[in-house]
């Protein structure tokens, strides 16, 4: 009997050790996937292929890493809101161009697409600290442009991009007008247990009931549940209820955390939306939801009444 108990204990111990080794050695490869299997790291297409008006923008992150981005406009003189878009963890910004093409038309906006370090044409290797700096470099660039209305910069993040965007919005309440989160997780700590169920007993976020004694091994925790409650700007939550990657309950938790401190939060779910296609399956209702949010929280700046009075006096 004792031998069977020992075997069981050794088996459990071996599983934990294997999990720790996997986590330490491969976690960046699990969290960040710049190259989708079967594809290359380079961009399969550029905005020119879709006949979009754009410019290549090269940035330097604060640690010197060279970053590539696309700044896309519906028309050259577009003064609508500017959306700073942060992508999911897999592939590169070229894989989002079809969605961006439709976004331009539906929202009459500009879109800035950042390639995280290690993604697309950007240099370096991805990490939470590094991507946080990359996002800040993109926002700083937009804030200094003279061809956009810098009071109408809205951050839009999907999945990992939502975690990136939440941190950026929290750190820049004076530069970011509003935040949009789509199918975003509460934390990588919680996602570890979703993707590798045996880890949920030893790794988890604030909502986890496990001992969480291996949390210290996670180098990119992306704890969105803690960050979102500190965001002061309006937040729109877009949740696909058929999300096969991030449990929809994560979005509900994020909304509850934010709404407890911020009365300018709105939650919208889409019954047939999956992780990557909520924008497509949501149809007109998806775009109308975002359009209404932008009109309310990133409105076009009208001339002041005093300016109008001066003009009347001059006549």
């Amino acid at each position: 009997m004792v031998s069977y108990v020992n075997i069981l204990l050794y088996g459990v111990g071996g599983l934990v050790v294997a999990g720790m080794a996997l986590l330490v050695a491969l976690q960046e490869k699990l969290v960040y996937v710049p190259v989708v299997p079967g594809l290359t790291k380079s961009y399969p297409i550029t905005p020119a292929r879709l006949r979009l008006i754009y410019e290549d923008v090269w940035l330097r992150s604060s640690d010197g890493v060279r970053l590539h981005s696309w700044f896309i406009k519906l028309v050259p003189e577009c003064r609508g809101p500017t959306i700073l878009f942060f992508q999911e963890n897999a592939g590169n910004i070229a894989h989002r161009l079809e969605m961006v093409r439709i976004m331009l038309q539906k929202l009459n906006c500009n879109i800035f697409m950042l390639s995280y370090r290690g993604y697309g044409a950007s240099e370096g290797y991805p990490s939470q600290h590094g991507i946080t700096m990359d996002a800040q470099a993109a926002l700083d660039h937009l804030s200094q442009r003279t061809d956009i209305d810098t009071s109408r910069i809205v951050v839009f993040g999907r999945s990992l991009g939502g975690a990136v965007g939440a941190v950026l919005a929290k750190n820049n309440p004076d530069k970011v007008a509003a935040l949009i989160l789509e199918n975003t997780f509460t934390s990588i700590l919680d996602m570890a247990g979703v993707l590798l169920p045996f880890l949920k007993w030893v790794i988890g976020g604030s909502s986890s009931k496990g001992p969480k004694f291996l949390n210290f091994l996670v180098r990119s925790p992306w704890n969105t549940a803690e960050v979102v409650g500190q965001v002061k700007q309006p937040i729109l939550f877009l949740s696909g209820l058929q999300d096969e990657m991030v449990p929809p309950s994560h979005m509900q938790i994020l909304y509850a955390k934010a709404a407890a401190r911020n009365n300018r939060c709105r939650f919208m779910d889409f019954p047939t939306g999956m992780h990557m296609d909520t924008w497509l399956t949501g149809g007109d209702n998806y775009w109308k939801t975002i359009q209404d949010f932008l009109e309310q929280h990133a409105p076009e700046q009208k001339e002041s009444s005093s300016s109008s009075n001066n003009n009347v006096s001059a006549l």
Side-chain angles (χ1 to χ4, degrees), residues 35-102:
V35 183
V36 176
L39 301 178
T40 64
K41 184 174 182 288
S42 60
Y43 303 129
I45 61 173
T46 71
R49 177 78 171 270
L50 300 181
R51 299 182 179 180
L52 299 177
I53 300 170
Y54 81 106
E55 63 180 275
D56 288 293
V57 178
W58 292 93
L59 306 171
R60 287 279 180 187
S61 195
S62 57
D63 61 347
V65 175
R66 191 167 183 253
L67 307 170
H68 178 253
S69 307
W70 286 326
F71 184 52
I72 307 173
K73 288 188 172 186
L74 178 61
V75 292
E77 66 278 7
C78 179
R79 301 289 292 186
T82 295
I83 293 178
L84 175 50
F85 178 79
F86 296 124
Q87 68 161 73
E88 308 87 333
N89 73 317
N92 60 53
I93 55 177
H95 300 133
R96 281 79 193 175
L97 279 175
E98 180 59 28
M99 183 274 295
V100 163
R101 181 183 67 82
I102 296 174

Side-chain angles (χ1 to χ4, degrees), residues 165-167 169-170 179 227-235 258 261-262:
V167 172
K170 176 185 77 73
L179 172 65
V227 172
V228 76
Q230 302 173 56
V231 175
K232 296 180 172 60
Q233 300 95 315
I235 311 175
R261 298 184 180 182
N262 185 342

Side-chain angles (χ1 to χ4, degrees), residues 106-288:
K106 297 288 187 179
L107 304 180
N108 191 29
C109 61
N110 308 306
I111 302 176
F112 192 92
M113 305 180 74
L114 170 70
S115 278
Y116 307 135
R117 61 183 59 203
Y119 283 69
S122 293
E123 298 175 352
Y125 300 92
S127 67
Q128 178 170 337
H129 182 63
I131 290 176
T132 299
M133 290 189 288
D134 300 346
Q136 188 65 54
L139 178 60
D140 290 344
H141 168 80
L142 285 176
S143 299
Q144 295 168 8
R145 293 188 71 112
T146 59
D147 59 339
I148 66 171
D149 184 344
T150 56
S151 70
R152 305 178 74 189
I153 297 174
V154 176
V155 170
F156 188 131
R158 182 183 295 133
S159 192
L160 172 66
V164 177
V167 172
L168 187 68
K170 176 185 77 73
N171 292 341
N172 296 271
D174 56 333
K175 292 182 179 179
V176 175
L179 172 65
I180 302 174
L181 301 181
E182 181 178 320
N183 296 336
T184 298
F185 47 75
T186 53
S187 70
I188 290 295
L189 300 171
D190 290 328
M191 284 301 297
V194 172
L195 300 176
L196 300 171
F198 67 89
L199 289 178
K200 69 181 179 182
W201 304 108
V202 291
I203 291 175
S206 57
S207 60
S208 173
K209 297 180 181 178
K212 300 181 284 190
F213 61 85
L214 293 186
N215 280 7
F216 74 96
L217 293 175
V218 180
R219 292 186 288 269
S220 291
W222 289 113
N223 202 331
T224 316
E226 288 188 4
V227 172
V228 76
Q230 302 173 56
V231 175
K232 296 180 172 60
Q233 300 95 315
I235 311 175
L236 174 61
F237 296 82
L238 304 172
S239 177
L241 297 185
Q242 302 303 315
D243 193 326
E244 75 285 9
M245 292 292 295
V246 177
S249 60
H250 283 223
M251 285 291 286
Q252 296 166 1
I253 292 171
L254 292 179
Y255 173 73
K257 292 276 189 181
R261 298 184 180 182
N262 185 342
N263 62 8
R264 296 185 295 171
C265 296
R266 182 183 179 190
F267 187 94
M268 192 73 178
D269 58 35
F270 300 89
T272 60
M274 299 180 72
H275 190 63
M276 296 286 289
D277 72 355
T278 300
W279 65 273
L280 186 60
T281 61
D284 290 340
N285 187 36
Y286 175 90
W287 297 111
K288 183 65 163 56

